[in-house]
Amino acid sequence: TEQVKTIVVIFGATGDLAKRKLFPSIYNLYSKGQLSEKFAVVGIGRRELSQEEFQTNVVKSVGTDNAYTREFSQHFYYHPFDVTNRNSYVDLKGQLVQLDEEYQVEGNRIFYLAMAPEFFGEIAQHLKREGLTNTSGYSRLIIEKPFGHNLPSAQLLNEQISQAFTEDQIYRIDHYLGKEMVQNIEVIRFANAIFEPLWNNRYIANIQITSSEVLGVEDRGGYYEKSGALRDMVQNHMLQMVSLLAMEPPIKLTTDEIRSEKIKVLRAMRPVKETEVHEYFVRGQYSSGEINGERVIGYREENNVSEKSTTETYVAGKILIDNFRWANVPFYIRTGKRMKEKSTKIVVQFKDIPMNLYYNNSEQHLNPNLLVIHIQPMEGITLSLNAKRQGKKIGIAPVKLDYCNNCEDVLNTPEAYEKLLYDCVRGDATNFTHWNEVALSWQFVDPISRIWENDEVTSISTYPAGTMGPDEANVLLAKDDFHWWSLS
Ligand code: BG6
């Protein structure tokens, strides 16, 4: 393992993300020896917190309180901060110089923006102006979503951060790109002779990507009302998965080559005209219902959500990629909150064989071959084939070949955040989104959100919590003579 040295400055260190994901990820890197002793974390937050309190929070979020975790927490420093005040940055700079010396990190700095996005631009500019980015080592910016809420706002934000950081210093997080099985998509495609020759419109009928959640909006009503599932999940995670599934093989596995192939996919996606949104995209909002035997309230009853809200908590869509490989192959996506199960999976449906020799027999019905990539919670691959039914003369039965990356112990797989953080300290931006990807994704979803925002209140369908979404999502596929595969 490559050991790294760096200071990580976390803006938003008292927030949820830091507590749930970042501290535990840093701890895992530390305990696996991937971080040397030469690291320090400076937590930035608005509230006053003593050094001890902060370190105790770190230990709590790691989950175990012992000598080792307490020693780990000694690397953490808290800095109360006003992001709009120049003096805060000047103080921070002094502290960084001191810590640099103490931990011998050779001037390496990562600034992690894990807080309200309205300050992203301002913070980046201050960091530059007060000289914090001017260091003898590297200076990198990790930035959480949302990266804007449409193309113009994303452009503005990008201009602001670009004044302080160059594109190769900017690491835009899409945590789906840190998931083991999302990273596996490329390997499955490009390391297997049996898939890549079939991976095109001659053999694939459609591809379906489902990312369903059981949780509702929780305490994020304020954010979610302005976002909705389209911006929250589709613009980023879903389109990233589409681009990985559809990209051409890169000539090399370098960051630039991979990104440029993904960008080509995003450029080839057929834009949805405002007049055609209803044909290609479906939205829904959960109403009250039952999940795992428990009654849950509808979206409009949630905290900080308007009683008349038309925010979508569910999106299904059909995406066409106009290039040689994918002409006429629909990519169907769907994602939503308060659905039946927490699961992300990709189903590749192959075309039917030219002739079904087994049709004569009345009971025979041939299932298409399906390749299922299970992203979460189960991680693995299933291939559905047809085989002879035992004992019968002519009889077909579907069989499944299963590969389980991670069946029993979900805890084995490193957290997405852990991998992404490690990538960033090592300077590998492959699994972060390039500005061009962000821009093209917004360009694709903007016409859809414009229509939805202006639509009448009555035009959003509801689906009872605990279901797979509104019926229109089924109609969307039925129009093409397909249906959603729900496979475990
Ligand atoms: C986040 C969204 O980006 O992804 C959340 O903001 C969503 O609303 C989450 O719940 C889903 O991530 P995961 O890893 O649980 O599938």
Side-chain angles (χ1 to χ4, degrees), residues 333-386:
I333 55 165
R334 60 176 169 168
T335 181
K337 299 214 177 272
R338 284 286 191 233
M339 291 171 67
K340 200 168 80 192
E341 55 177 6
K342 169 79 181 168
S343 155
T344 302
K345 66 179 124 230
I346 295 160
V347 180
V348 180
Q349 177 178 342
F350 289 89
K351 286 194 170 165
D352 291 333
I353 45 177
M355 171 186 168
N356 182 357
L357 284 172
Y358 303 91
Y359 254 136
N360 317 349
N361 192 325
S362 59
E363 65 182 277
Q364 290 316 326
H365 165 77
L366 272 193
N367 272 323
N369 294 132
L370 302 173
L371 172 70
V372 185
I373 304 176
H374 304 270
I375 310 281
Q376 64 187 19
M378 212 265 259
E379 297 183 349
I381 305 166
T382 313
L383 188 59
S384 315
L385 308 172
N386 294 303

Side-chain angles (χ1 to χ4, degrees), residues 145 175-176 179 211 213 220 223-224 232-233 236-237 337 342 344 376:
K145 57 172 280 218
H175 78 285
Y176 268 57
K179 291 187 192 283
S211 191
E213 294 187 77
R220 294 162 79 218
Y223 152 77
Y224 202 83
D232 189 49
M233 292 291 291
N236 40 34
H237 312 318
K337 299 214 177 272
K342 169 79 181 168
T344 302
Q376 64 187 19

Side-chain angles (χ1 to χ4, degrees), residues 295-307:
R295 234 19 244 165
V296 298
I297 56 173
Y299 178 68
R300 290 183 185 179
E301 285 111 56
E302 301 276 10
N303 280 341
N304 299 321
V305 170
S306 150
E307 289 166 6

Side-chain angles (χ1 to χ4, degrees), residues 50-102:
S50 73
Q51 193 74 337
E52 290 69 37
E53 285 169 315
F54 184 54
Q55 293 178 347
T56 307
N57 288 350
V58 171
V59 171
K60 269 195 210 139
S61 97
V62 166
T64 331
D65 187 350
N66 58 31
Y68 185 68
T69 54
R70 259 173 276 144
E71 184 192 302
F72 164 73
S73 76
Q74 301 293 306
H75 290 258
F76 286 68
Y77 299 81
Y78 186 73
H79 199 118
F81 205 86
D82 173 0
V83 293
T84 60
N85 183 345
R86 183 181 164 262
N87 294 333
S88 288
Y89 296 86
V90 176
D91 288 350
L92 176 63
K93 185 179 171 185
Q95 188 180 18
L96 293 184
V97 170
Q98 206 184 327
L99 289 173
D100 197 311
E101 182 101 333
E102 193 177 330

Side-chain angles (χ1 to χ4, degrees), residues 11 83 113-124 143-149 153 156-158 160-161 223 226-227:
F11 289 83
V83 293
L113 306 189
M115 56 178 305
E118 59 260 40
F119 298 112
F120 287 170
E122 182 164 3
I123 295 172
I143 187 161
E144 274 291 334
K145 57 172 280 218
F147 201 92
H149 64 272
S153 59
L156 181 66
L157 172 58
N158 203 50
Q160 290 171 333
I161 62 174
Y223 152 77
K226 290 194 227 100
S227 152

